[in-house]
Amino acid sequence: MHMRTPSSASQSSSQAGAQQFAGPPTYPEEEQDTGYPAEKQQAQGGHGFDFGAPASLIAGAPAAGEFTGAGAASTVVDDVGTFNGGSYRISHRDCNTILTVQLAIGCPLDARPGTMIAMSPSIQLKGAYKFSMKKLVAGGEMGQSTFTGPGELLLGPPMLGDITSLRLTGKESWSVGHDGYLASTQNVIKDYKRQGIGKAMFSGEGLWVYKISGTGLLWLTSFGAIIRKDLVEGEKYIVDNGHLVAWNTKYVLERVASGGFMSGFASGEGLVCKFTGPGTVFIQTRNARSFTAFMTGQANQAV
């Protein structure tokens, strides 16, 4: 049975000048917990451990009591919250995750085409086809689905993975991989941004990525589990290409393996993305290209 808790992205807010909807339908009351979803706990309190301080390390590694690791970001807890004109729940966490949204009368929700699982007959669905050279070159979605309440809407990503929510306040801008966007509320602005040629070839995200800004809720999806990494000022972190979901800080491409080209080829690790804080990076635990290569190899062996 999945528990549910309020998240840092689930606090209801109203934007000045924005249309106000009737109160959203609510979920049945269950056992409450005052904590946050595990993948968001780091954002609330920080990791509390200075990996850059030699005194904090024992033989080059943190003490057992200080080390948590990525495994601490368990996602068995439901993420439940509200927004202007609706409420949502992210459940069946980790690999079979679904997003359930309750929409009030007249409240719209934009979603990636093909992600609708089921919905109430009272919800109106409209599709829009917006052609642009950016999307044509990037291989992005030309269409967009808009669902308007009242009723219940179930959304799910095309891959086996997780979903997380992100509240935009209008002061930040996020870069999102072409497979990372799932849905967003009104007043969230979604556009395409061109990356440099080097990043386009080796970051695993292509020449164009989503540029997300505005105000409202954004739902991200991943292949495998999703991990949130918050970086403090000057902190550096390396992410292998193909594992990026979303980020709001700059990065550079860097060769991680020493010993030249053959060393990188033999280790399976070549160019990686090196981020520098402050900022946040969302990472997925599985690489779609590596998984495709693995499945292709298994199929060839079976022939």
Side-chain angles (χ1 to χ4, degrees):
M1 178 177 179
H2 294 283
M3 298 179 292
R4 64 179 203 174
T5 75
S7 70
S8 60
S10 65
Q11 306 301 317
S12 60
S13 65
S14 61
Q15 305 298 329
Q19 180 182 1
Q20 298 298 308
F21 299 95
T26 58
Y27 293 100
E29 291 297 326
E30 298 176 358
E31 181 181 355
Q32 298 293 320
D33 193 321
T34 57
Y36 289 85
E39 80 274 16
K40 298 184 179 181
Q41 288 178 357
Q42 186 184 47
Q44 297 299 320
H47 49 62
F49 183 77
D50 185 6
F51 286 90
S56 301
L57 302 177
I58 300 177
E66 299 286 352
F67 181 74
T68 55
S74 174
T75 54
V76 297
V77 180
D78 285 10
D79 178 2
V80 178
T82 60
F83 55 91
N84 178 25
S87 57
Y88 74 92
R89 171 164 54 190
I90 301 174
S91 60
H92 301 279
R93 305 299 293 273
D94 210 19
C95 289
N96 299 298
T97 311
I98 63 171
L99 170 64
T100 304
V101 183
Q102 299 282 353
L103 294 174
I105 298 176
C107 179
L109 184 83
D110 294 329
R112 179 178 176 180
T115 57
M116 190 269 288
I117 300 174
M119 67 179 185
S120 302
S122 55
I123 289 184
Q124 294 182 352
L125 168 61
K126 290 184 179 180
Y129 189 86
K130 298 180 180 179
F131 176 83
S132 72
M133 289 303 298
K134 288 182 180 180
K135 294 181 180 180
L136 180 63
V137 174
E141 296 285 351
M142 294 289 186
Q144 176 175 289
S145 299
T146 300
F147 301 87
T148 304
E152 180 180 83
L153 172 65
L154 274 65
L155 299 175
M159 299 184 295
L160 295 175
D162 200 7
I163 300 171
T164 192
S165 59
L166 183 63
R167 180 171 294 279
L168 304 179
T169 63
K171 299 179 181 179
E172 68 278 279
S173 178
W174 287 83
S175 297
V176 178
H178 48 79
D179 292 326
Y181 173 82
L182 178 64
S184 57
T185 60
Q186 64 171 352
N187 298 326
V188 171
I189 303 170
K190 179 164 63 78
D191 198 2
Y192 273 92
K193 173 189 175 183
R194 182 181 182 276
Q195 297 197 107
I197 297 298
K199 290 183 178 180
M201 294 178 62
F202 301 109
S203 69
E205 298 302 326
L207 183 62
W208 300 87
V209 295
Y210 284 116
K211 195 68 174 181
I212 308 292
S213 58
T215 58
L217 273 174
L218 167 68
W219 287 278
L220 302 171
T221 184
S222 63
F223 183 32
I226 189 168
I227 297 173
R228 174 173 178 158
K229 180 66 177 181
D230 294 299
L231 304 177
V232 299
E233 179 73 37
E235 183 180 2
K236 299 183 184 300
Y237 202 67
I238 292 175
V239 180
D240 192 21
N241 56 11
H243 289 270
L244 290 177
V245 176
W247 60 97
N248 65 354
T249 183
K250 295 181 179 180
Y251 73 90
V252 296
L253 288 170
E254 190 172 281
R255 185 166 58 87
V256 67
S258 61
F261 173 78
M262 289 304 298
S263 175
F265 179 80
S267 67
E269 309 295 344
L271 290 174
V272 296
C273 304
K274 187 174 184 179
F275 291 87
T276 302
T280 300
V281 184
F282 284 94
I283 308 166
Q284 61 186 13
T285 60
R286 296 294 179 267
N287 184 316
R289 292 184 179 179
S290 298
F291 180 75
T292 300
F294 170 77
M295 294 301 295
T296 301
Q298 294 297 310
N300 291 337
Q301 292 179 14
V303 175

